[in-house]
Amino acid sequence: MAKSVEPATDLPPYRYTAELANSIEEKWIERWEERRTYFTPNPVGEISEPNGELAKRPPYYVLDMFPYPSGSGLHVGHPLGYIGSDIYARYKRMDGFNVLHAMGYDAFGLPAERYAVDSGRHPDVTTRQNIANMRAQLRRIGLGHDPRRGVSTIDPEYYRWTQWIFLQIFDSWYDADRQRARPIAELVEELDAGARPWPPGSAANGRSWSALSERERRRAIDSARLAYLAEVTVNWCPALGTVLANEEVTADGRSEQGNFPVFRRPLRQWMMRITAYADRLADDLEGLEWPESLKLMQRNWIGRSFGVQLDFSVKADTEVAMPVFTTRPDTLFGVTFLAVAPEHPLLAGGLPASWTDDIPASWRGEASVPDAPDGGFASPAEAVAAYKHLTERRSDRQREGDEGPSGVFTGLWAEHPLSKEKVPVFVADYVLMQYGSGAVMGVPAHDSRDFAFARALGVPVEMVVQPPVEWLSEQGLASDAGVERWSDAYTGQGTSVGSGRDTDGLPSEEAGRAFADQLERLGLGEHQISYRLRDWLFSRQRYWGEPFPIVYDEEGDPVALPESELPVLLPELSDFSPKVSDDELAEPEPPLARLSDWVETELDLGEGKQRYRRETNTMPQWAGSCWYYLRYLDPTNSDAMVDPEVERYWMKHQGEPGGVNLYVGGVEHAVLHLLYARFWHKVLHDLGHVSSPEPFQRLFNQGYVQAAAYTDERGFYVEASEVEERDGSCFHRGQPVERSYGKMGKSLKNGISPDEIIAGYGADALRLYEMFLGPLDQDRPWETQGIAGVVRFLQRVWRYVVDEQTGEARVVDAPPPVGLRRALHRTIASVRRDIESLRLNTAIASLMEFSNELRAELGDEPPAREIAEALVRALAPFAPHLCEELWERLGHTDSVVYAPYPESDPDLAALDQVKIAVQVNGKLRAVLEVPAGAERDELEAAARAEEKVAELLAGAKLSKTIVVPGRIVNFVLDGKG
RNA sequence: GCCGGAGUGGCGGAAUUGGCAUACGCGAUCGACUCAAAAUCGAUUGCCCUUACGGGCUUGUGGGUUCGAAUCCCACCUCCGGCACCA
């Protein structure tokens, strides 16, 4: 809580109070702006001046994650990462680098649109106002950003290039042989020349390329593009008038926002072929300086698994080969059934008209379809239709939430490729159409899901991997217990059994290899890699986003607009809300579709004037944030996304992968944003538009600020600032409330505004305290009272340098005591080390320690200029306003922002005296103070000479003496150790 | 369920490679200044036993390796995060 300090009459006139801090801070923020202190020059182009000589320095790019301009103002948790990156950027700037550091705004998207709808104003108005508010709040924290580079995604001059990048992706295809994207024109050339029979990903169906009509060829090529249209199943929420991401749908199939029903339906949408890059996205993580945990999250998200795809032949209308994917070919002889996803194409063909008599009721749907007749459905076709109808209406989330496995028998039988036995084919919703081939081989003995399914429907279980005895005993089973007594599948490796072949008795891995080889020889299977990653759904039925630079011709096929048509401006629209409905079958209607004058257009795209319809979906919020770090490089360039020379200057580093040197942001973007941005960057790299293969070389995740939050008896959060504490209990308006801790923010009603803290203590104190609370990558609880410690520290630094009575600098131009100088150099060494690895809490602790030594050494005496100036420079990245003021009072006319960061002289930083612990039997008995270079013999002799040690050694038998120079002496007496 | 990460004073946290556990700060207690309070300055502050001298214990729990473990190994407990029918 900010205290309102009485204007204390008896304080010295130049005491560093909140008032003084605030006036210093405001003064310097204005001067920095006037002097363009943070303007960072490019080597060439429009913004290569002023400070042009800086561009000769080595470049360094420090980036924060693109903020979304919230309408509710900042709390002290928001700027945590920004302060950390700012300190690092300032340090690098003082250490001789040309540092690019800027802040723009990710201003399109759902939250901005919803805020506008709620406040009844146009998103363009509210968003720009929010940006202005946020800029003002951040400005006051003293972040050293180049203001010219702070782009917003909603600026037409920005989204023009977002659209341009979309066109680059649209105009590309992925060449799997060369493992990179290439212009689509090259694919057309290869096809026309006969160098390639067919576009990748589509099937020839016996026809040759040249036999196709022009329209057919065009559609085949369109489906090979990296950005393509496809009919996909989406979560459609008519009440919100939009499709939702899986994350936005609750477990019971309703919208997270508003709790409206969500339906799954197919819809023609723009997709991005990110799966083409799955291998590179996974492999290239290797060379990045990212937290290992985050790399792992990306790898899991991509979910690459190696296995075998093999064919079972199924007799439906005709004999068809049905591929299944497995990572466990060793369990092939344990297959007792197949299961296909409800959407599987096999089910579209003819199913048998009736069951054979031996089919149990559980297979006929009795166990799985709630309203099935007693004894099950009359025919496979009916059972499958009923089951599909049941599962169709459930969202993915619902499927996952269901208790038991379910499915029905299709009446079809498949032939095992090696044993030639017949196995039944089921339809089951635990099989996902989107993964593998949408069909699985059921091995109940060795897969938990197959096991549960088999038990539920009464399908046989056959063991083909002998589990180790330990597993059986853990399950409470005897070592010879049959598979019918198991309560779960054994999913580990073991000894192969039960195939009746010579692989029996081999370790199961070896048997698996043998089966895979045999399948490959027979042409019935091949090694394959599957991914969890899916292609990226890129359309939104929203107003507040980038329009696609796409129109449709009379046949409904997409046509890219030429660059000269960019930007496609987002048209003015007074009713920008999505069209909502309570009818499940209502057609999605993007707001832009209402503008028929805009949608219907006549253009000459090279074939004379023709009528076209514009694309009315918009891009998702991720689009703008996928490439902003490239626009920061060259924000005013109207000829290119970024000048290649400028791009190379900032992003290409000798002997390193290249990219942004340091990227700081929250772990919540671990997969989506960071994966999408890497994907776009790689496409741009393949097409020659950027020089580095990866966008972000070093990544750092800052933690969250947490704060006490309070819930009333109904479990609702109450405004934390209104809670009072009495006798260890908490009350809100007289009612008792319960305390918990959580991420600071609007939802827990526990936000604390930085404005409030700055008014009460100053921005430098806020900066220091946020960093001092704990390691930057860790969550930390906010307690405003703790800020007193850093305030006192800043006051002391001020008082060392400035006379509190006169305001004059009070340093002496004489050399400091040698001990103090040594302490200074030690401090500089550790502060530098700590900043480099972003351990800013311990960097500040070192500076405090030095300040304590200064006080102990000097008392009230003025410090030497050498000491004072080094301290001011060392502290400047952390407390820039205060240090700029002190620097000026010390007589400097140039800015401390570009003063060189103090260097540590290793000779001075080395300790001349060291303390050595002396132990007897591992227990500390004395501490020696000896010259730093003391040898083993000297140490041992000195240790023996200690009175207490001598006492303990007298009469005892010494079995061992450990001497580690510079560290420890340990006497081990007989009878111990 | 699977995969990660973390457990150190009343609190936030520190501790290069295994070598003085608790740096730095908050809070608390006492003192100086003050009519008083705030601010500031100074001292003390891991726990237990002891008037004292001194001694013992202590990094989630239990074991192990080592002359020596917060740090390495094994088992367990708790908390946090990610993924969740991925065949």
Side-chain angles (χ1 to χ4, degrees):
Chain A
M1 202 165 300
K3 44 191 104 125
S4 48
V5 183
E6 294 281 309
T9 47
D10 52 349
L11 282 185
Y14 291 91
R15 165 67 46 92
Y16 185 75
T17 57
E19 286 81 357
L20 183 59
N22 274 290
S23 71
I24 289 172
E25 288 161 6
E26 271 154 24
K27 161 182 156 187
W28 282 107
I29 288 165
E30 269 168 39
R31 283 214 198 157
W32 288 330
E33 280 170 5
E34 277 162 25
R35 297 175 184 178
R36 305 174 168 196
T37 302
Y38 301 111
F39 277 35
T40 302
N42 278 346
V44 295
E46 211 172 298
I47 58 171
S48 53
E49 295 292 333
N51 298 340
E53 76 282 358
L54 281 177
K56 297 192 182 79
R57 293 179 169 203
Y60 204 92
Y61 192 175
V62 179
L63 181 68
D64 293 288
M65 281 189 188
F66 216 24
Y68 143 73
S70 151
S72 50
L74 298 184
H75 58 69
V76 293
H78 286 115
L80 186 74
Y82 306 153
I83 294 170
S85 66
D86 189 60
I87 290 168
Y88 196 80
R90 286 175 180 277
Y91 166 76
K92 282 288 177 186
R93 207 176 269 134
M94 293 176 77
D95 214 23
F97 290 86
N98 186 27
V99 176
L100 177 48
H101 195 214
M103 176 78 67
Y105 294 89
D106 184 15
F108 270 134
L110 210 63
E113 185 180 292
R114 209 169 269 148
Y115 180 78
V117 171
D118 290 348
S119 65
R121 290 177 296 159
H122 195 278
D124 194 60
V125 175
T126 55
T127 307
R128 287 185 193 283
Q129 195 171 58
N130 291 347
I131 290 175
N133 289 345
M134 188 158 165
R135 272 215 175 102
Q137 279 189 296
L138 290 178
R139 172 181 182 269
R140 194 57 188 76
I141 295 171
L143 305 174
H145 296 144
D146 183 342
R148 301 168 303 175
R149 299 177 188 261
V151 296
S152 295
T153 50
I154 57 172
D155 294 337
E157 267 314 295
Y158 180 85
Y159 69 72
R160 167 191 180 170
W161 296 105
T162 311
Q163 293 169 340
W164 180 85
I165 295 170
F166 176 85
L167 290 178
Q168 297 299 308
I169 299 171
F170 178 76
D171 274 330
S172 309
W173 62 293
Y174 200 77
D175 184 337
D177 299 326
R178 299 199 199 168
Q179 281 287 297
R180 63 179 191 86
R182 297 171 60 195
I184 200 84
E186 295 181 15
L187 176 64
V188 175
E189 250 168 62
E190 287 187 11
L191 287 164
D192 289 349
R196 184 180 284 272
W198 205 261
S202 41
N205 292 333
R207 302 175 66 192
S208 77
W209 181 250
S210 53
L212 299 186
S213 73
E214 202 177 316
R215 185 63 66 173
E216 284 173 314
R217 282 190 223 167
R218 177 170 153 189
R219 287 186 178 160
I221 285 169
D222 280 352
S223 66
R225 294 174 187 270
L226 286 182
Y228 62 98
L229 284 163
E231 191 92 351
V232 291
T233 306
V234 296
N235 299 305
W236 163 239
C237 180
L240 289 174
T242 187
V243 301
L244 296 172
N246 278 331
E247 296 81 6
E248 296 170 309
V249 182
T250 61
D252 51 345
R254 302 179 82 84
S255 65
E256 195 110 76
Q257 300 281 331
N259 199 31
F260 300 113
V262 171
F263 304 91
R264 290 164 57 74
R265 64 176 292 163
L267 210 55
R268 197 174 183 225
Q269 300 278 283
W270 281 103
M271 303 294 289
M272 291 255 172
R273 203 179 303 281
I274 190 172
T275 50
Y277 281 82
D279 277 319
R280 283 167 63 189
L281 288 169
D283 293 340
D284 292 355
L285 287 168
E286 202 71 36
L288 300 178
E289 297 166 57
W290 289 20
E292 278 307 318
S293 58
L294 199 137
K295 290 189 191 178
L296 194 72
M297 279 164 72
Q298 290 221 342
R299 284 200 192 98
N300 289 343
W301 189 263
I302 295 165
R304 179 165 52 182
S305 48
F306 299 89
V308 174
Q309 176 146 316
L310 62 144
D311 290 339
F312 281 76
S313 76
V314 178
K315 196 155 168 77
D317 288 349
T318 55
E319 187 92 4
V320 295
M322 197 176 71
V324 302
F325 175 76
T326 180
T327 54
R328 292 290 303 275
D330 59 308
T331 63
L332 190 54
F333 282 87
V335 173
T336 57
F337 67 96
L338 296 187
V340 299
E343 303 89 345
H344 198 279
L346 182 74
L347 304 176
L351 299 173
S354 61
W355 309 106
T356 50
D357 290 344
D358 53 341
I359 301 305
S362 61
W363 291 25
R364 300 186 188 203
E366 197 186 60
S368 304
V369 183
D371 51 1
D374 281 349
F377 289 96
S379 73
E382 267 180 58
V384 169
Y387 186 68
K388 281 177 70 168
H389 183 70
L390 178 76
T391 55
E392 219 158 58
R393 304 179 44 110
R394 309 189 210 177
S395 68
D396 274 347
R397 285 283 165 122
Q398 266 177 303
R399 285 195 192 185
E400 291 160 18
D402 275 350
E403 320 84 63
S406 70
V408 299
F409 178 45
T410 61
L412 301 172
W413 296 84
E415 188 187 82
H416 190 287
L418 297 184
S419 75
K420 305 296 179 189
E421 279 174 24
K422 297 282 182 218
V423 293
V425 180
F426 290 83
V427 53
D429 71 352
Y430 80 90
V431 184
L432 304 176
M433 197 58 224
Q434 303 93 318
Y435 186 77
S437 57
V440 300
M441 54 180 225
V443 186
H446 306 294
D447 180 282
S448 304
R449 295 152 304 177
D450 297 346
F451 185 90
F453 181 83
R455 279 286 155 88
L457 273 81
V459 178
V461 180
E462 266 175 54
M463 179 181 87
V464 290
V465 177
Q466 176 67 50
V469 188
E470 299 84 60
W471 182 80
L472 291 165
S473 66
E474 265 172 43
Q475 302 287 310
L477 297 168
S479 56
D480 58 349
V483 75
E484 64 282 353
R485 316 194 51 159
W486 291 9
S487 55
D488 198 1
Y490 172 68
T491 58
Q493 305 287 333
T495 305
S496 187
V497 294
S499 71
R501 305 185 157 221
D502 52 11
T503 49
D504 280 358
L506 289 177
S508 49
E509 275 173 87
E510 278 178 41
R513 269 196 295 277
F515 298 154
D517 290 348
Q518 196 188 347
L519 287 167
E520 212 154 12
R521 275 198 306 278
L522 294 169
L524 292 171
E526 57 184 357
H527 290 275
Q528 213 197 324
I529 302 171
S530 274
Y531 304 90
R532 203 192 75 105
L533 185 69
R534 318 251 168 91
D535 275 345
W536 173 15
L537 176 77
F538 198 70
S539 314
R540 297 292 183 270
Q541 293 72 48
R542 286 280 162 181
Y543 171 66
W544 195 233
E546 298 88 348
F548 282 81
I550 291 285
V551 292
Y552 295 93
D553 64 16
E554 279 157 345
E555 304 258 353
D557 288 315
V559 181
L561 290 170
E563 259 182 64
S564 58
E565 290 284 322
L566 302 187
V568 177
L569 291 173
L570 182 63
E572 205 35 64
L573 183 58
S574 53
D575 177 19
F576 46 83
S577 314
K579 183 188 169 191
V580 303
S581 165
D582 50 11
D583 177 8
E584 163 189 355
L585 299 171
E587 277 302 306
E589 184 200 277
L592 291 180
R594 280 173 230 153
L595 288 168
S596 47
D597 288 355
W598 180 79
V599 174
E600 303 289 344
T601 182
E602 232 177 42
L603 296 164
D604 184 350
L605 300 178
E607 296 171 336
K609 267 207 168 193
Q610 297 207 8
R611 295 191 59 79
Y612 296 96
R613 284 183 60 84
R614 288 186 189 275
E615 169 64 70
T616 54
N617 285 299
T618 52
M619 299 188 197
Q621 188 170 13
W622 306 111
S625 61
C626 262
W627 74 283
Y628 69 102
Y629 59 95
L630 292 171
R631 194 60 181 173
Y632 283 0
L633 302 177
D634 203 4
T636 58
N637 195 327
S638 51
D639 301 325
M641 167 184 80
V642 50
D643 183 303
E645 190 177 340
V646 171
E647 190 275 334
R648 277 195 302 273
Y649 172 74
W650 290 110
M651 299 288 278
K652 200 173 169 84
H653 314 308
Q654 287 296 312
E656 287 181 351
V660 173
N661 295 90
L662 175 66
Y663 193 21
V664 177
V667 72
E668 69 272 20
H669 293 119
V671 279
L672 299 181
H673 160 62
L674 284 171
L675 210 56
Y676 296 151
R678 291 179 65 217
F679 163 53
W680 277 33
H681 193 92
K682 283 180 180 301
V683 177
L684 292 171
H685 176 69
D686 287 352
L687 299 177
H689 299 300
V690 297
S691 59
S692 67
E694 283 283 336
F696 315 118
Q697 174 158 349
R698 181 179 173 198
L699 180 81
F700 193 92
N701 288 127
Q702 90 275 5
Y704 294 118
V705 170
Q706 304 187 309
Y710 302 88
T711 42
D712 62 19
E713 279 160 336
R714 298 167 304 165
F716 291 117
Y717 284 100
V718 301
E719 196 53 58
S721 57
E722 294 168 6
V723 170
E724 292 168 357
E725 200 174 334
R726 287 193 300 267
D727 317 321
S729 304
C730 301
F731 299 89
H732 178 251
R733 297 186 183 151
Q735 298 301 310
V737 288
E738 195 132 338
R739 171 157 53 190
S740 60
Y741 279 86
K743 185 182 168 189
M744 186 178 280
K746 211 166 39 174
S747 50
L748 304 192
K749 295 190 178 172
N750 60 352
I752 293 169
S753 161
D755 307 355
E756 190 186 313
I757 301 298
I758 289 170
Y761 308 94
D764 284 329
L766 172 71
R767 291 171 60 105
L768 230 61
Y769 185 51
E770 294 226 7
M771 295 302 107
F772 186 65
L773 273 171
L776 190 57
D777 56 358
Q778 210 168 288
D779 295 347
R780 74 272 322 265
W782 179 272
E783 293 281 357
T784 298
Q785 64 172 9
I787 202 171
V790 298
V791 169
R792 280 197 269 265
F793 167 63
L794 292 177
Q795 279 177 343
R796 274 183 211 136
V797 172
W798 172 265
R799 205 160 44 232
Y800 293 139
V801 181
V802 172
D803 187 309
E804 289 191 309
Q805 296 303 325
T806 65
E808 303 285 320
R810 58 187 281 276
V811 295
V812 294
D813 285 309
V818 70
L820 207 53
R821 186 184 267 160
R822 284 178 167 277
L824 173 71
H825 283 259
R826 274 200 304 279
T827 302
I828 292 166
S830 68
V831 171
R832 273 180 170 270
R833 210 171 36 235
D834 286 346
I835 296 178
E836 289 286 354
S837 50
L838 287 165
R839 288 178 307 199
L840 302 178
N841 55 329
T842 50
I844 294 168
S846 294
L847 289 165
M848 286 176 166
E849 252 176 293
F850 179 67
S851 142
N852 292 344
E853 279 185 71
L854 207 53
R855 175 178 52 188
E857 187 86 24
L858 295 180
D860 287 335
E861 292 301 307
R865 175 172 287 272
E866 178 188 324
I867 298 279
E869 293 202 342
L871 176 60
V872 167
R873 283 181 292 141
L875 182 62
F878 300 89
H881 314 87
L882 168 67
C883 292
E884 191 77 279
E885 178 72 19
L886 292 174
W887 193 242
E888 186 185 53
R889 284 179 195 258
L890 282 164
H892 295 273
T893 52
D894 57 342
S895 169
V896 78
V897 170
Y898 292 96
Y901 204 80
E903 304 271 358
S904 171
D905 178 338
D907 291 337
L908 286 169
L911 289 165
D912 49 348
Q913 290 284 115
V914 291
K915 285 181 178 169
I916 304 288
V918 182
Q919 299 180 340
V920 177
N921 282 343
K923 288 206 165 138
L924 184 71
R925 295 300 174 185
V927 177
L928 298 174
E929 182 137 3
V930 297
E935 300 288 330
R936 307 181 83 87
D937 299 350
E938 299 172 53
L939 284 177
E940 189 178 336
R944 283 174 181 280
E946 285 289 318
E947 193 183 333
K948 206 152 150 193
V949 176
E951 242 171 64
L952 285 158
L953 291 187
K957 193 162 165 244
L958 198 61
S959 73
K960 205 171 192 179
T961 305
I962 313 284
V963 183
V964 183
R967 295 243 185 252
I968 206 161
V969 179
N970 190 7
F971 296 104
V972 186
L973 303 183
D974 221 20
K976 149 100 191 169

